[in-house]
Amino acid sequence: MHAVVIVAAGRGERLGVEHGPKQYRLLGDKSVLQNTIDCFTSHDDIETVQVVIHREDGELYDNAVSQHPKLLPPVFGGATRQESCKAGLNGLPEDCDKVLLHDAARPFVSKDVITRVLEGIERGTCALPASAIADTIKQADYKGEVSKTIPRDQLFLAQTPQGFVFSEILAAHQKAENEYSGEFTDDAAIAEWVGMKVRLVEGDRGNFKITTKQDLAAAGELSMSMSAAGADIRTGSGYDVHILGPGDAVILCGIKIPHTQALQGHSDADVGLHSLTDALLGTIGAGDIGSHFPPSDPKWKGAQSDQFLAHAAELVSKNGGTITNLDVTIVCEAPKIGPHRDVMRARIAGICNIDDLSRVSVKATTNEKVGFIGREEGIAALATATVSFGGKPGV
Ligand code: CTP
Ligand code: MG
């Protein structure tokens, strides 16, 4: 059985304490800690995840982390990272074989890094993911004067998760607690101190630790671009036409506009809302307006079309979709649409529960007096709906 201990009991002082510890800050809609946990629960070879939290963070933890069958109840950490790691190891079941120790503040650890670390562990040898240093290294004194340039080809940046045989690292931690007065900043250093071998495996520069405000901003951007990449964005299109006949007003996009003729149809013949309804249904493969509201059914005679659109929007939402854009073009010689454009947009947004009006567009064009529309025998509308079905980090 392979397990991971995720240490999350720090205070995040270098980032600033005003918004609480960094592991509970949000990246998109998920906490840093939840992102970190997900990297491990989604790895097939990890069966148990033990999180170590600060004594005062129980409520923050409950709000930030969802239950998972691999996740043990959290244990409390100590005043140093070393103490927190030890507390996490003590929380693990005895039949644990290999164990990884990981910083909660590294939410972008990849499957490949976890696999390489697990594979690098042997009896007497622990595995440390590390990356080469790209910058030139200088040694300077306290006045900021450089005393020498240090060759960097044998220097590496240590990351986590660091991997160990469980019984060996537990014993090493116990020995360090009893016999070492200083503090180790990572677990590989404890392993070195007890004489174990430490083997480097390839780390990943994306597996950075959130330490400063700049790191948190970079993490936010990275998580946004990852969720955009993983998002399921779908578009649907719709088209409708109704003929003009006797009357004194047309209803377009839910708005009644005085006119010399009226649109004829079974319902209120609102081509704008009908085409939008079809566009939305098109994003979930749910047929068309006719299959939901058959014109043969007397129930829909004279019906207001806002209920058709509201139904389609509700179906999209029930399927996990969020409407990101609605765009409708009305093709008619008259009446003029421009003066009604913004009320129409607001009406569509209201029907579909869209808060941001910039996501709803109403356009109009004439048919240059040609064809049935040009002869004012009918009005057509074309619509496109764009719907996002969520996204997940691609790590
Ligand atoms: N950590 C811990 N217990 C401690 C100190 C640190 O569990 N007593 C954890 C942190 O929560 C973090 C990881 O160890 O996930 C790496 O530590 P660091 O980046 O230093 O985090 P903080 O100690 O929280 O930050 P700071 O040093 O800026 O206060
Ligand atoms: Mg610290």
Side-chain angles (χ1 to χ4, degrees):
M1 201 267 290
H2 302 332
V4 61
V5 169
I6 298 175
V7 281
R11 300 291 78 194
E13 272 158 16
R14 281 168 289 179
L15 182 75
V17 291
E18 61 276 17
H19 300 292
K22 58 193 178 185
Q23 55 273 30
Y24 300 109
R25 300 290 294 273
L26 291 179
L27 300 177
D29 55 1
K30 265 201 302 187
S31 64
V32 169
L33 179 56
Q34 181 71 65
N35 274 277
T36 308
I37 290 171
D38 290 349
C39 297
F40 291 94
T41 51
S42 63
H43 195 291
D44 290 343
D45 297 333
I46 299 287
E47 286 136 79
T48 304
V49 178
Q50 173 69 71
V51 180
V52 182
I53 64 169
H54 193 274
R55 213 163 264 288
E56 288 163 11
D57 290 348
E59 203 179 322
L60 280 173
Y61 177 87
D62 288 342
N63 291 332
V65 172
S66 19
Q67 302 275 354
H68 189 283
K70 292 184 181 180
L71 194 56
L72 299 175
V75 294
F76 293 136
T80 62
R81 184 185 182 281
Q82 186 181 332
E83 285 173 34
S84 297
C85 288
K86 172 93 187 318
L89 292 171
N90 283 336
L92 289 176
E94 274 171 21
D95 63 343
C96 195
D97 176 15
K98 293 178 181 177
V99 63
L100 309 185
L101 286 136
H102 186 66
D103 296 329
R106 293 181 192 268
F108 301 117
V109 55
S110 69
K111 277 206 166 65
D112 287 349
V113 167
I114 296 172
T115 303
R116 284 199 286 273
V117 172
L118 279 172
E119 286 174 358
I121 302 167
E122 272 173 46
R123 204 145 266 290
T125 303
C126 59
L128 171 73
S131 58
I133 298 175
D135 298 326
T136 299
I137 308 291
K138 301 286 183 189
Q139 184 173 320
D141 62 18
Y142 68 96
K143 288 182 287 190
E145 272 173 32
V146 171
S147 49
K148 66 175 170 184
T149 300
I150 299 173
R152 67 180 179 213
D153 52 334
Q154 287 188 19
L155 296 180
F156 295 89
L157 297 170
Q159 306 181 343
T160 70
Q162 300 178 354
F164 309 85
V165 170
F166 174 58
S167 55
E168 291 179 353
I169 191 65
L170 188 61
H173 261 278
Q174 193 59 57
K175 190 172 161 66
E177 190 179 291
N178 295 340
E179 298 172 22
Y180 189 78
S181 57
E183 185 191 331
F184 292 103
T185 55
D186 75 352
D187 304 280
I190 299 179
E192 288 162 47
W193 177 73
V194 296
M196 285 171 67
K197 271 200 218 138
V198 179
R199 172 181 296 148
L200 294 187
V201 301
E202 194 187 332
D204 175 359
R205 285 167 76 96
N207 180 26
F208 64 93
K209 181 160 72 75
I210 300 174
T211 305
T212 62
K213 284 197 171 76
Q214 231 176 350
D215 297 332
L216 184 68
E221 274 167 35
L222 188 61
S223 119
M224 221 156 67
S225 65
M226 286 192 313
S227 56
D232 179 4
I233 308 282
R234 305 184 196 173
T235 54
S237 68
Y239 172 77
D240 193 32
V241 63
H242 278 275
I243 57 170
L244 286 159
D248 57 6
V250 289
I251 295 172
L252 289 170
C253 295
I255 306 299
K256 191 168 181 179
I257 306 171
H259 190 45
T260 51
Q261 290 175 294
L263 285 167
Q264 314 290 303
H266 192 66
S267 65
D268 63 6
D270 185 337
V271 288
L273 296 192
H274 292 181
S275 61
L276 282 166
T277 303
D278 268 357
L280 279 179
L281 293 174
T283 67
I284 48 171
D288 56 28
I289 191 167
S291 51
H292 291 264
F293 308 99
S296 53
D297 188 338
K299 195 158 96 186
W300 307 119
K301 190 164 166 44
Q304 285 191 332
S305 298
D306 57 348
Q307 58 190 309
F308 305 155
L309 183 58
H311 177 72
E314 203 181 305
L315 281 183
V316 162
S317 164
K318 275 190 185 145
N319 277 266
T322 304
I323 301 170
T324 56
N325 193 60
L326 291 177
D327 184 18
V328 59
T329 303
I330 298 167
V331 194
C332 65
E333 300 299 321
K336 282 205 180 320
I337 302 300
H340 308 284
R341 185 197 309 274
D342 288 338
V343 223
M344 290 176 170
R345 292 171 64 211
R347 181 87 180 97
I348 295 165
I351 297 167
C352 297
N353 275 325
I354 298 170
D355 295 331
D356 176 3
L357 258 197
S358 75
R359 296 179 184 277
V360 180
S361 150
V362 173
K363 310 200 296 295
T365 181
T366 71
N367 218 37
E368 297 288 340
K369 297 199 173 353
V370 299
F372 73 93
I373 294 173
R375 293 191 297 273
E376 299 194 34
E377 293 166 11
I379 292 180
L382 302 93
T384 305
T386 309
V387 178
S388 163
F389 290 82
K392 50 183 175 11
V395 286

